Amino acid sequence: MIGLRTILFAFCLATPATAQITDARYLEPTTRYGHGAVPGGEYGALEVTLDDGRQIVLRVSGGVFEDTIPRLYDFNGDGVPEIVTVFSGDDVGAMIRIYGWHEGELKPVGTSKAIGTRHRWLAVAGIADFNGDGLDEIAYVDRPHLARRLRLLTVDLSAKEAAFNELSSVGGLTNHKYGSPVIEGGVRICDGHKPVVVTASANWFRVIETHFDGQELILSNVAPYKGEDSLSSRLGC
């Protein structure tokens, strides 16, 4: 006779825990979009690795991933990370697109408004809760070679589809030089302090640190810009 314990053990073996994303990378470099802002930085596919060892590849059409790396981040605090990507549509330019692993599939869970024109890009600086309301923001520079505007975009995953709302923005900043493989600077997050976005001034003369004071973004001119290390050295606590 089969006991209840045996049945439960067999059921557990037959129904493994929900897989989680542990890593992600862009695959299949392509020249079909032809922007060239980031050398070799346009891709036709996203590969994710799950904690059960599987690797899943998602191919896109109608545009490309235009970025340096996909970023793993847990927006809703459930211990399961989402993937933040920059997707550039063939006719509408760059947008933030977030993917998640749901019901055995890699799916987009939300897409921000596109810039609106082909070959217009955005460069992600980092992710943090800049106003302390429990919802995290993606900090990015909108058109770092043209508009040079820092934007904070709140991401709310409480509904079925992610909601994006701009918290604040300010001009005169950049984090990428056209043709460079590197997005410079980033976000400094230290206990007891407000998150700070570290970028360069629009003309690449100065290092600028920016924080949100509850009403607007406040810029601090902290040092001369003398190369990539001028920004990366200010990311530590």
Side-chain angles (χ1 to χ4, degrees), residues 203-224:
N203 58 11
W204 290 97
F205 287 174
R206 305 294 298 179
V207 176
I208 308 295
E209 296 188 349
T210 304
H211 74 276
F212 185 69
D213 72 349
Q215 298 294 325
E216 59 184 353
L217 288 168
I218 305 300
L219 280 62
S220 299
N221 186 334
V222 296

Side-chain angles (χ1 to χ4, degrees), residues 106-187:
L106 182 63
K107 301 177 180 179
V109 297
T111 301
S112 71
K113 183 179 178 180
I115 289 174
T117 303
R118 180 180 176 88
H119 289 178
R120 296 296 181 262
W121 185 56
L122 64 86
V124 174
I127 306 167
D129 182 1
F130 287 90
N131 63 352
D133 68 348
L135 293 177
D136 297 307
E137 286 81 39
I138 299 173
Y140 69 90
V141 178
D142 176 2
R143 291 160 288 175
H145 322 116
L146 295 171
R148 300 180 178 93
R149 189 166 193 87
L150 174 67
R151 299 186 186 275
L152 302 184
L153 192 68
T154 295
V155 180
D156 183 357
L157 295 185
S158 61
K160 185 175 181 180
E161 184 170 345
F164 297 89
N165 292 288
E166 185 167 288
L167 174 64
S168 189
S169 73
V170 67
L173 303 172
T174 189
N175 60 351
H176 184 264
K177 299 167 185 169
Y178 192 93
S180 170
V182 178
I183 296 173
E184 298 190 31
V187 174

Side-chain angles (χ1 to χ4, degrees), residues 50-70:
L50 304 177
D51 59 0
D52 60 11
R54 284 180 291 164
Q55 291 182 315
I56 310 298
V57 176
L58 180 146
R59 292 178 173 85
V60 291
S61 59
V64 298
F65 295 110
E66 188 177 13
D67 201 2
T68 54
I69 56 169

